[in-house]
Amino acid sequence: MDKLNLRRELSSARASLSPEQQRANSIKIRETLLDQPWVQMAGLVACYWSTGSEPDTHGLVFALWKHGATVILPVLLEDYDLDWAVYDGPDSLSPGRFGIMEPVDTRRGVDAIRTAALVIVPALAVDRATGVRLGRGGGSYDRALARVGPNVPTVALLHDGELIDGIPAEPHDRHVRFAATPEGLTRLM
């Protein structure tokens, strides 16, 4: 299946999840991640502020911040690359491009992700054999992941059924090392 049709199919499946199921999935994912020592010890975490039917990251971002991590969130640039700024609590966010909440703190630049000890990214799906993630098609996170060191844990958050086989890959597509689902954490690379 090509990427466009795969995105449509996965987006439709996500949209069919009830709010209760989405909430339950998000809680399980958050608890799984927060139980990992390498997550607990990460001093600088690059994450994202979830929207729509994505697994919710709001509680995860808050918990990481409350436990002392510095959390940087993306700021979408005109060219769809990602700048980064520090999250400093719920009041430090305001609507950005497309209404996505972004930190109002000083922007740190597109290379700020290079210093993260943990990178958490959105995905519609991840290929279980290769770790290639399927995003929404803008390439923002592929560019950001290209800046991340090879030993930094990269984690995509997924609902059940989104860790699949056979995602078509192009040269610019980046892989992640872990997928976090309601079922648990899967090491991919």
Side-chain angles (χ1 to χ4, degrees):
M1 182 179 297
D2 65 49
K3 284 185 175 183
L4 183 60
N5 286 322
L6 190 53
R7 282 186 184 101
R8 284 186 187 139
E9 182 180 299
L10 291 161
S11 295
S12 176
R14 274 191 176 179
S16 71
L17 292 172
S18 70
E20 295 78 20
Q21 187 61 56
Q22 288 184 33
R23 192 169 24 263
N25 288 351
S26 298
I27 289 168
K28 289 177 185 175
I29 291 167
R30 180 180 71 226
E31 289 174 353
T32 295
L33 283 175
L34 293 174
D35 281 346
Q36 306 304 312
W38 48 272
V39 172
Q40 296 169 14
M41 295 185 308
L44 179 64
V45 179
C47 196
Y48 65 100
W49 196 257
S50 58
T51 62
S53 59
E54 293 175 332
D56 185 81
T57 61
H58 305 178
L60 175 62
V61 168
F62 186 78
L64 290 165
W65 174 70
K66 286 301 275 183
H67 286 98
T70 299
V71 181
I72 57 174
L73 299 176
V75 176
L76 186 63
L77 300 173
E78 290 293 322
D79 66 356
Y80 287 87
D81 207 343
L82 299 176
D83 200 338
W84 299 89
V86 174
Y87 170 85
D88 195 21
D91 294 336
S92 69
L93 300 173
S94 71
R97 206 155 165 224
F98 304 117
I100 298 170
M101 300 301 281
E102 299 175 343
V104 296
D105 188 45
T106 304
R107 293 184 184 181
R108 306 297 171 110
V110 296
D111 287 327
I113 195 170
R114 291 185 192 278
T115 60
L118 169 63
V119 176
I120 300 169
V121 297
L124 286 170
V126 172
D127 190 298
R128 87 175 81 247
T130 64
V132 168
R133 61 174 285 284
L134 180 68
R136 296 200 181 273
S140 300
Y141 282 93
D142 286 321
R143 283 183 262 178
L145 285 168
R147 298 179 180 109
V148 176
N151 297 320
V152 174
T154 51
V155 184
L157 307 186
L158 305 170
H159 292 290
D160 288 327
E162 296 176 347
L163 187 57
I164 62 175
D165 295 312
I167 293 177
E170 297 173 49
H172 67 269
D173 289 329
R174 298 294 171 183
H175 68 270
V176 291
R177 296 177 69 195
F178 296 91
T181 70
E183 296 297 312
L185 192 65
T186 302
R187 185 179 180 90
L188 303 164
M189 305 287 305

